[in-house]
Amino acid sequence: SPVATATLSKPTAKRSKPTVPDQKMLIGGQWVSAQSGKTFETHDPSTGEVICRVAEAAAADVDLAVAAARKAFESGPWSRTDASGRGRVLNKLADLIEEHQDE
């Protein structure tokens, strides 16, 4: 039987460089820089070019994030929401992610 072969064609349009703002950490509902001010570069794997810089969390940042998450859980509505309500929220989140997957 004949063997199917695939050929790869070169893209006809030049791919645009992604535009991504530098990224902070979301802690306690606020976008914050690392306490140390450190960041690391994120690279486009196809070109090696820097896409953006990302806040580099250290132990102090993790401690703040854990404390903020604990406070939000204990005083927010999530801990008082039953399983079916949590399921509805998670399904809505999944729908929104699918709806905006190109972004």
Side-chain angles (χ1 to χ4, degrees):
S1 68
V3 176
T5 59
T7 59
L8 298 175
S9 61
K10 293 183 180 180
T12 55
K14 185 177 178 183
R15 197 176 106 202
S16 62
K17 182 178 176 182
T19 303
V20 180
D22 288 350
Q23 301 295 298
K24 294 184 176 188
M25 298 176 289
L26 181 61
I27 299 178
Q30 301 291 318
W31 291 103
V32 298
S33 299
Q35 288 190 347
S36 67
K38 290 184 180 180
T39 61
F40 62 90
E41 295 177 343
T42 298
H43 298 266
D44 180 334
S46 66
T47 65
E49 292 181 29
V50 175
I51 297 173
C52 70
R53 300 190 65 78
V54 179
E56 185 176 321
D61 302 299
V62 173
D63 290 344
L64 285 174
V66 169
R70 171 60 56 196
K71 180 181 176 186
F73 180 75
E74 290 174 352
S75 63
W78 190 255
S79 63
R80 295 183 304 276
T81 303
D82 63 18
S84 65
R86 289 181 186 186
R88 283 191 300 276
V89 170
L90 292 174
N91 283 322
K92 177 64 176 173
L93 176 60
D95 291 343
L96 288 169
I97 290 171
E98 288 176 357
E99 182 181 327
H100 296 276
Q101 66 186 351
D102 291 339
E103 295 172 35

